[in-house]
PDB file of all heavy atoms in Angstrom:
ATOM      1  N   GLY O 215     148.495-217.466 -23.869  1.00  0.00           N
ATOM      2  CA  GLY O 215     148.751-216.777 -25.156  1.00  0.00           C
ATOM      3  C   GLY O 215     150.223-216.703 -25.486  1.00  0.00           C
ATOM      4  O   GLY O 215     150.641-215.806 -26.240  1.00  0.00           O
ATOM      5  N   GLU O 216     151.010-217.631 -25.025  1.00  0.00           N
ATOM      6  CA  GLU O 216     152.470-217.547 -25.241  1.00  0.00           C
ATOM      7  C   GLU O 216     152.812-217.528 -26.720  1.00  0.00           C
ATOM      8  O   GLU O 216     153.744-216.811 -27.126  1.00  0.00           O
ATOM      9  CB  GLU O 216     153.164-218.753 -24.570  1.00  0.00           C
ATOM     10  CG  GLU O 216     154.655-218.569 -24.467  1.00  0.00           C
ATOM     11  CD  GLU O 216     155.381-219.867 -24.155  1.00  0.00           C
ATOM     12  OE1 GLU O 216     155.589-220.710 -25.066  1.00  0.00           O
ATOM     13  OE2 GLU O 216     155.685-220.066 -22.980  1.00  0.00           O
ATOM     14  N   LEU O 217     152.008-218.239 -27.506  1.00  0.00           N
ATOM     15  CA  LEU O 217     152.254-218.294 -28.954  1.00  0.00           C
ATOM     16  C   LEU O 217     152.254-216.895 -29.564  1.00  0.00           C
ATOM     17  O   LEU O 217     152.987-216.629 -30.524  1.00  0.00           O
ATOM     18  CB  LEU O 217     151.167-219.146 -29.599  1.00  0.00           C
ATOM     19  CG  LEU O 217     151.348-219.599 -31.021  1.00  0.00           C
ATOM     20  CD1 LEU O 217     152.574-220.488 -31.131  1.00  0.00           C
ATOM     21  CD2 LEU O 217     150.118-220.352 -31.499  1.00  0.00           C
ATOM     22  N   TYR O 218     151.498-215.994 -28.999  1.00  0.00           N
ATOM     23  CA  TYR O 218     151.380-214.638 -29.508  1.00  0.00           C
ATOM     24  C   TYR O 218     152.202-213.644 -28.694  1.00  0.00           C
ATOM     25  O   TYR O 218     151.948-212.439 -28.762  1.00  0.00           O
ATOM     26  CB  TYR O 218     149.943-214.224 -29.592  1.00  0.00           C
ATOM     27  CG  TYR O 218     149.169-214.937 -30.672  1.00  0.00           C
ATOM     28  CD1 TYR O 218     148.491-216.118 -30.391  1.00  0.00           C
ATOM     29  CD2 TYR O 218     149.175-214.493 -31.977  1.00  0.00           C
ATOM     30  CE1 TYR O 218     147.809-216.829 -31.368  1.00  0.00           C
ATOM     31  CE2 TYR O 218     148.504-215.158 -32.973  1.00  0.00           C
ATOM     32  CZ  TYR O 218     147.828-216.327 -32.673  1.00  0.00           C
ATOM     33  OH  TYR O 218     147.169-216.986 -33.660  1.00  0.00           O
ATOM     34  N   GLY O 219     153.075-214.110 -27.857  1.00  0.00           N
ATOM     35  CA  GLY O 219     153.889-213.188 -27.058  1.00  0.00           C
ATOM     36  C   GLY O 219     153.486-213.156 -25.596  1.00  0.00           C
ATOM     37  O   GLY O 219     154.240-212.623 -24.796  1.00  0.00           O
ATOM     38  N   GLY O 220     152.336-213.698 -25.253  1.00  0.00           N
ATOM     39  CA  GLY O 220     152.008-213.816 -23.876  1.00  0.00           C
ATOM     40  C   GLY O 220     151.052-212.713 -23.392  1.00  0.00           C
ATOM     41  O   GLY O 220     151.097-211.597 -23.881  1.00  0.00           O
ATOM     42  N   LEU O 221     150.207-213.036 -22.434  1.00  0.00           N
ATOM     43  CA  LEU O 221     149.302-212.130 -21.848  1.00  0.00           C
ATOM     44  C   LEU O 221     149.727-211.933 -20.383  1.00  0.00           C
ATOM     45  O   LEU O 221     149.818-212.899 -19.639  1.00  0.00           O
ATOM     46  CB  LEU O 221     147.870-212.693 -21.914  1.00  0.00           C
ATOM     47  CG  LEU O 221     146.720-211.787 -21.452  1.00  0.00           C
ATOM     48  CD1 LEU O 221     146.682-210.479 -22.235  1.00  0.00           C
ATOM     49  CD2 LEU O 221     145.396-212.539 -21.617  1.00  0.00           C
ATOM     50  N   ASN O 222     149.992-210.684 -20.053  1.00  0.00           N
ATOM     51  CA  ASN O 222     150.557-210.383 -18.762  1.00  0.00           C
ATOM     52  C   ASN O 222     149.664-210.776 -17.610  1.00  0.00           C
ATOM     53  O   ASN O 222     148.518-210.373 -17.543  1.00  0.00           O
ATOM     54  CB  ASN O 222     150.803-208.861 -18.699  1.00  0.00           C
ATOM     55  CG  ASN O 222     151.664-208.458 -17.542  1.00  0.00           C
ATOM     56  OD1 ASN O 222     151.752-209.181 -16.563  1.00  0.00           O
ATOM     57  ND2 ASN O 222     152.290-207.314 -17.626  1.00  0.00           N
ATOM     58  N   GLY O 223     150.206-211.583 -16.691  1.00  0.00           N
ATOM     59  CA  GLY O 223     149.452-211.906 -15.479  1.00  0.00           C
ATOM     60  C   GLY O 223     148.385-212.937 -15.654  1.00  0.00           C
ATOM     61  O   GLY O 223     147.487-213.044 -14.834  1.00  0.00           O
ATOM     62  N   VAL O 224     148.460-213.742 -16.710  1.00  0.00           N
ATOM     63  CA  VAL O 224     147.452-214.778 -16.930  1.00  0.00           C
ATOM     64  C   VAL O 224     148.198-216.082 -17.299  1.00  0.00           C
ATOM     65  O   VAL O 224     149.131-216.062 -18.082  1.00  0.00           O
ATOM     66  CB  VAL O 224     146.482-214.413 -18.034  1.00  0.00           C
ATOM     67  CG1 VAL O 224     145.345-215.424 -18.153  1.00  0.00           C
ATOM     68  CG2 VAL O 224     145.919-213.010 -17.811  1.00  0.00           C
ATOM     69  N   TRP O 225     147.762-217.213 -16.740  1.00  0.00           N
ATOM     70  CA  TRP O 225     148.459-218.466 -16.867  1.00  0.00           C
ATOM     71  C   TRP O 225     147.544-219.625 -17.217  1.00  0.00           C
ATOM     72  O   TRP O 225     146.347-219.596 -16.823  1.00  0.00           O
ATOM     73  CB  TRP O 225     149.198-218.789 -15.559  1.00  0.00           C
ATOM     74  CG  TRP O 225     150.132-217.702 -15.185  1.00  0.00           C
ATOM     75  CD1 TRP O 225     149.865-216.622 -14.389  1.00  0.00           C
ATOM     76  CD2 TRP O 225     151.508-217.567 -15.594  1.00  0.00           C
ATOM     77  NE1 TRP O 225     150.972-215.812 -14.303  1.00  0.00           N
ATOM     78  CE2 TRP O 225     151.987-216.352 -15.006  1.00  0.00           C
ATOM     79  CE3 TRP O 225     152.377-218.318 -16.373  1.00  0.00           C
ATOM     80  CZ2 TRP O 225     153.284-215.884 -15.209  1.00  0.00           C
ATOM     81  CZ3 TRP O 225     153.660-217.868 -16.572  1.00  0.00           C
ATOM     82  CH2 TRP O 225     154.105-216.694 -15.992  1.00  0.00           C
ATOM     83  N   ASP O 226     148.062-220.582 -17.976  1.00  0.00           N
ATOM     84  CA  ASP O 226     147.311-221.801 -18.268  1.00  0.00           C
ATOM     85  C   ASP O 226     147.934-222.945 -17.552  1.00  0.00           C
ATOM     86  O   ASP O 226     149.183-223.005 -17.430  1.00  0.00           O
ATOM     87  CB  ASP O 226     147.341-222.071 -19.787  1.00  0.00           C
ATOM     88  CG  ASP O 226     146.587-221.030 -20.641  1.00  0.00           C
ATOM     89  OD1 ASP O 226     145.661-220.409 -20.036  1.00  0.00           O
ATOM     90  OD2 ASP O 226     146.868-220.879 -21.801  1.00  0.00           O
ATOM     91  N   TYR O 227     147.108-223.895 -17.124  1.00  0.00           N
ATOM     92  CA  TYR O 227     147.626-225.119 -16.542  1.00  0.00           C
ATOM     93  C   TYR O 227     147.709-226.219 -17.623  1.00  0.00           C
ATOM     94  O   TYR O 227     146.698-226.444 -18.322  1.00  0.00           O
ATOM     95  CB  TYR O 227     146.749-225.619 -15.388  1.00  0.00           C
ATOM     96  CG  TYR O 227     146.930-224.773 -14.130  1.00  0.00           C
ATOM     97  CD1 TYR O 227     146.237-223.621 -13.947  1.00  0.00           C
ATOM     98  CD2 TYR O 227     147.835-225.176 -13.161  1.00  0.00           C
ATOM     99  CE1 TYR O 227     146.422-222.838 -12.794  1.00  0.00           C
ATOM    100  CE2 TYR O 227     148.033-224.388 -12.003  1.00  0.00           C
ATOM    101  CZ  TYR O 227     147.309-223.235 -11.859  1.00  0.00           C
ATOM    102  OH  TYR O 227     147.485-222.500 -10.722  1.00  0.00           O
ATOM    103  N   GLY O 228     148.853-226.839 -17.779  1.00  0.00           N
ATOM    104  CA  GLY O 228     148.990-227.935 -18.709  1.00  0.00           C
ATOM    105  C   GLY O 228     148.463-229.210 -18.104  1.00  0.00           C
ATOM    106  O   GLY O 228     147.891-229.219 -17.022  1.00  0.00           O
ATOM    107  N   PRO O 229     148.668-230.364 -18.816  1.00  0.00           N
ATOM    108  CA  PRO O 229     148.071-231.628 -18.367  1.00  0.00           C
ATOM    109  C   PRO O 229     148.391-231.966 -16.912  1.00  0.00           C
ATOM    110  O   PRO O 229     147.466-232.256 -16.164  1.00  0.00           O
ATOM    111  CB  PRO O 229     148.740-232.634 -19.292  1.00  0.00           C
ATOM    112  CG  PRO O 229     149.014-231.853 -20.546  1.00  0.00           C
ATOM    113  CD  PRO O 229     149.385-230.468 -20.085  1.00  0.00           C
ATOM    114  N   LEU O 230     149.614-231.907 -16.492  1.00  0.00           N
ATOM    115  CA  LEU O 230     149.956-232.255 -15.101  1.00  0.00           C
ATOM    116  C   LEU O 230     149.500-231.204 -14.114  1.00  0.00           C
ATOM    117  O   LEU O 230     149.056-231.521 -13.000  1.00  0.00           O
ATOM    118  CB  LEU O 230     151.437-232.516 -14.969  1.00  0.00           C
ATOM    119  CG  LEU O 230     151.965-233.743 -15.715  1.00  0.00           C
ATOM    120  CD1 LEU O 230     153.495-233.832 -15.572  1.00  0.00           C
ATOM    121  CD2 LEU O 230     151.315-235.007 -15.192  1.00  0.00           C
ATOM    122  N   GLY O 231     149.614-229.930 -14.507  1.00  0.00           N
ATOM    123  CA  GLY O 231     149.111-228.851 -13.631  1.00  0.00           C
ATOM    124  C   GLY O 231     147.623-228.969 -13.386  1.00  0.00           C
ATOM    125  O   GLY O 231     147.155-228.733 -12.276  1.00  0.00           O
ATOM    126  N   ALA O 232     146.902-229.334 -14.461  1.00  0.00           N
ATOM    127  CA  ALA O 232     145.439-229.455 -14.303  1.00  0.00           C
ATOM    128  C   ALA O 232     145.102-230.565 -13.340  1.00  0.00           C
ATOM    129  O   ALA O 232     144.202-230.425 -12.518  1.00  0.00           O
ATOM    130  CB  ALA O 232     144.794-229.715 -15.696  1.00  0.00           C
ATOM    131  N   GLU O 233     145.832-231.699 -13.420  1.00  0.00           N
ATOM    132  CA  GLU O 233     145.606-232.796 -12.461  1.00  0.00           C
ATOM    133  C   GLU O 233     145.903-232.358 -11.044  1.00  0.00           C
ATOM    134  O   GLU O 233     145.106-232.622 -10.101  1.00  0.00           O
ATOM    135  CB  GLU O 233     146.495-233.996 -12.828  1.00  0.00           C
ATOM    136  CG  GLU O 233     146.192-234.670 -14.128  1.00  0.00           C
ATOM    137  CD  GLU O 233     144.851-235.414 -14.124  1.00  0.00           C
ATOM    138  OE1 GLU O 233     144.298-235.696 -13.088  1.00  0.00           O
ATOM    139  OE2 GLU O 233     144.314-235.680 -15.223  1.00  0.00           O
ATOM    140  N   LEU O 234     147.013-231.714 -10.863  1.00  0.00           N
ATOM    141  CA  LEU O 234     147.414-231.240  -9.544  1.00  0.00           C
ATOM    142  C   LEU O 234     146.376-230.293  -8.916  1.00  0.00           C
ATOM    143  O   LEU O 234     145.981-230.427  -7.781  1.00  0.00           O
ATOM    144  CB  LEU O 234     148.780-230.541  -9.605  1.00  0.00           C
ATOM    145  CG  LEU O 234     149.361-229.950  -8.362  1.00  0.00           C
ATOM    146  CD1 LEU O 234     149.572-231.035  -7.263  1.00  0.00           C
ATOM    147  CD2 LEU O 234     150.659-229.237  -8.631  1.00  0.00           C
ATOM    148  N   LYS O 235     145.915-229.391  -9.757  1.00  0.00           N
ATOM    149  CA  LYS O 235     144.961-228.366  -9.279  1.00  0.00           C
ATOM    150  C   LYS O 235     143.632-229.057  -8.945  1.00  0.00           C
ATOM    151  O   LYS O 235     143.011-228.725  -7.943  1.00  0.00           O
ATOM    152  CB  LYS O 235     144.749-227.301 -10.362  1.00  0.00           C
ATOM    153  CG  LYS O 235     144.004-226.102  -9.863  1.00  0.00           C
ATOM    154  CD  LYS O 235     143.987-225.012 -10.929  1.00  0.00           C
ATOM    155  CE  LYS O 235     143.309-223.784 -10.350  1.00  0.00           C
ATOM    156  NZ  LYS O 235     143.195-222.739 -11.407  1.00  0.00           N
ATOM    157  N   ARG O 236     143.253-229.985  -9.782  1.00  0.00           N
ATOM    158  CA  ARG O 236     141.961-230.706  -9.520  1.00  0.00           C
ATOM    159  C   ARG O 236     142.117-231.481  -8.232  1.00  0.00           C
ATOM    160  O   ARG O 236     141.148-231.510  -7.399  1.00  0.00           O
ATOM    161  CB  ARG O 236     141.702-231.665 -10.698  1.00  0.00           C
ATOM    162  CG  ARG O 236     140.237-231.897 -10.969  1.00  0.00           C
ATOM    163  CD  ARG O 236     140.061-232.605 -12.337  1.00  0.00           C
ATOM    164  NE  ARG O 236     140.907-233.788 -12.447  1.00  0.00           N
ATOM    165  CZ  ARG O 236     140.610-234.977 -11.910  1.00  0.00           C
ATOM    166  NH1 ARG O 236     139.498-235.154 -11.242  1.00  0.00           N
ATOM    167  NH2 ARG O 236     141.410-236.018 -12.071  1.00  0.00           N
TER     168      ARG O 236
END
Side-chain angles (χ1 to χ4, degrees):
Chain O
E216 193 195 80
L217 194 61
Y218 290 92
L221 185 58
N222 193 339
V224 188
W225 302 90
D226 291 336
Y227 285 84
L230 292 176
E233 293 291 342
L234 177 61
K235 192 173 184 184
R236 212 167 50 81

